[in-house]
Amino acid sequence: MNWKKTLRAAGLVAALTFSLVGCNTEASYSPQEIIDQALQETKEPLTYYGEFTMDMGEAGGTAHVKEWSKDGKRRIDMTTENGEHVISVNNGSEIMMYDVVEKTAQKMKYKEGDLDGLQSPRDQAELLFNMVKDTHDVKIDGEEKIAGRDTYKVVAKVKKEDTLTGDMEVWIDKKTWLTLKTVTNSAGSKLTVEYTKIDVNAKIDDTQFTVDVPDDVEIEEITTQEPEAVTLDVVKEQLGEFLMIPEENGIALTTIQDMKVEERPEFSFDYQKDEQPAFSVSVFKMTESYTEFGGTQDEKPIEVRGQQGTYMELGEFLTISWQENGYQYNIIRENPELSKEDLVAYANQMTINK
């Protein structure tokens, strides 16, 4: 198990664990009433120290995590059962990750506002409720103590099997909104995160939000780049003759973006139909260095332009993919009213761009 990758994924896991909030009264509330109450509260982050375990089962193993949070800053200190040790700190302007055992370090700066709408329990509640409100049945399933604190247990069951996130169980602190335990099942894997200690309003020194990286460890600077809009001539120069969807019957090409993939040129074409977003098409040229990873269990076979391709439909997300004459093509739906048959029909209309 590569825990450096898992640590990066931990933020996503936290963002996908239906972080609903509880109330500090003893009244009986429905899940919707809890959400409504939570979203009226302050967005100020809590100050706390906590310890929790992450259990990814036999395939992923377990980790013990110590966490410090204050004024929007956060420190994560994680050790695993096989001796790995990673420290990650967000000091409010940059994120630093230090692998103590491997003696590697990376840091990434971010601008003020880049993480707005993602950090507080209220932010997560609003985001995640919107993600699952149409795909899950949500109910309160009693009250339990986690780490010595009173929580509501909230259960979210998928209505259909083809959803991005599976069944979830979440235990929410009644007073702080903190999610103290989560059990998620998705894509055949199970993840359990449970706090064993939580100290709300702990006294935390600002030195916790610095990382002492040894002088002999080189710190790698990680930069993030937004896709750059380019002209069709730029794409032709790098890709040669490739397939494009013709602009007819209300279909119009609005933007071409350079996806800036280091190992190969890749471009994304955004299309509208009748002046509304319809779909995007990404294309890149297959090379000897390209490695095709195994598909996921959600991918299903489909024929596109006489080629064997795949499609994946999870809720409103739909994409079809295929290879043709040395190029990889992917069409991603933007308008949920379009079916996979519609996307295949547009693919079948594609012609060589010369």
Side-chain angles (χ1 to χ4, degrees):
M1 177 67 185
N2 188 329
W3 276 94
K4 286 189 288 184
K5 292 182 180 178
T6 302
L7 183 62
R8 295 188 184 98
L12 178 59
V13 169
L16 293 177
T17 52
F18 205 59
S19 214
L20 299 176
V21 301
C23 307
N24 58 6
T25 71
E26 297 303 317
S28 177
Y29 289 92
S30 70
Q32 182 62 60
E33 288 171 328
I34 291 176
I35 294 165
D36 291 342
Q37 177 69 22
L39 299 185
Q40 295 174 14
E41 302 292 341
T42 177
K43 297 180 69 171
E44 290 299 317
L46 288 169
T47 295
Y48 66 90
Y49 168 76
E51 296 182 13
F52 61 89
T53 58
M54 295 177 60
D55 186 348
M56 296 187 69
E58 294 182 1
T62 61
H64 180 70
V65 182
K66 297 179 179 180
E67 176 187 20
W68 294 259
S69 181
K70 177 184 177 183
D71 298 331
K73 301 175 183 178
R74 194 165 182 241
R75 178 188 180 104
I76 294 289
D77 192 323
M78 181 167 67
T79 56
T80 72
E81 60 184 352
N82 59 358
E84 295 174 279
H85 184 192
V86 179
I87 300 171
S88 180
V89 170
N90 178 352
N91 67 7
S93 61
E94 70 178 17
I95 296 172
M96 171 79 78
M97 184 181 294
Y98 172 43
D99 187 318
V100 178
V101 178
E102 296 291 333
K103 292 188 175 181
T104 59
Q106 299 86 30
K107 70 177 180 180
M108 180 183 71
K109 294 184 178 180
Y110 62 88
K111 297 178 182 178
E112 183 177 356
D114 282 355
L115 300 183
D116 285 354
L118 296 174
Q119 299 200 76
S120 76
R122 177 192 185 279
D123 293 330
Q124 294 175 17
E126 188 169 18
L127 172 66
L128 301 167
F129 173 66
N130 287 334
M131 288 179 59
V132 303
K133 65 181 181 180
D134 296 326
T135 57
H136 290 62
D137 290 318
V138 184
K139 69 176 183 179
I140 295 177
D141 190 24
E143 302 176 13
E144 297 180 18
K145 279 191 180 289
I146 302 293
R149 299 183 66 86
D150 293 327
T151 70
Y152 287 113
K153 180 182 178 182
V154 179
V155 176
K157 293 280 189 181
V158 295
K159 297 177 181 178
K160 298 180 179 179
E161 294 301 321
D162 57 344
T163 58
L164 285 169
T165 52
D167 293 341
M168 295 177 284
E169 296 176 293
V170 185
W171 287 256
I172 304 106
D173 191 315
K174 292 184 181 181
K175 293 184 178 180
T176 66
W177 306 1
L178 289 174
T179 300
L180 298 184
K181 180 179 178 180
T182 62
V183 179
T184 59
N185 295 274
S186 184
S189 62
K190 180 179 180 180
L191 172 66
T192 301
V193 178
E194 181 173 1
Y195 278 83
T196 56
K197 181 177 182 179
I198 190 78
D199 183 3
V200 178
N201 296 318
K203 293 183 178 180
I204 299 176
D205 193 278
D206 285 341
T207 57
Q208 288 288 357
F209 304 107
T210 61
V211 183
D212 294 325
V213 179
D215 293 337
D216 60 343
V217 175
E218 182 178 354
I219 300 175
E220 177 187 0
E221 294 268 1
I222 299 175
T223 59
T224 57
Q225 292 181 312
E226 293 293 328
E228 176 186 355
V230 296
T231 65
L232 183 56
D233 288 338
V234 170
V235 184
K236 290 181 182 178
E237 183 178 342
Q238 297 193 46
L239 294 186
E241 297 183 353
F242 58 92
L243 292 168
M244 287 185 64
I245 294 177
E247 295 185 81
E248 56 187 30
N249 299 321
I251 294 294
L253 175 62
T254 58
T255 310
I256 306 174
Q257 298 184 88
D258 183 348
M259 304 309 293
K260 299 185 181 299
V261 179
E262 292 183 1
E263 62 270 23
R264 63 175 185 270
E266 181 174 347
F267 298 89
S268 176
F269 297 75
D270 295 330
Y271 289 89
Q272 290 184 348
K273 179 175 175 57
D274 300 329
E275 300 184 348
Q276 296 297 321
F279 51 81
S280 64
V281 181
S282 69
V283 57
F284 64 85
K285 186 183 294 187
M286 307 292 292
T287 64
E288 293 182 359
S289 62
Y290 173 70
T291 301
E292 185 174 3
F293 295 95
T296 72
Q297 64 179 15
D298 297 309
E299 287 185 329
K300 299 176 183 178
I302 192 172
E303 183 174 308
V304 186
R305 297 178 54 82
Q307 310 295 322
Q308 185 64 46
T310 62
Y311 79 93
M312 183 165 59
E313 187 169 12
L314 298 168
E316 292 189 353
F317 176 81
L318 171 64
T319 181
I320 64 171
S321 305
W322 78 100
Q323 295 175 13
E324 185 173 350
N325 295 329
Y327 292 87
Q328 171 73 41
Y329 297 93
N330 305 281
I331 302 182
I332 302 174
R333 176 175 66 185
E334 301 291 343
N335 182 348
E337 294 185 1
L338 294 175
S339 66
K340 67 177 181 294
E341 289 78 14
D342 293 328
L343 298 189
V344 170
Y346 285 122
N348 288 336
Q349 297 172 19
M350 296 174 79
T351 57
I352 291 291
N353 175 74
K354 297 183 179 180

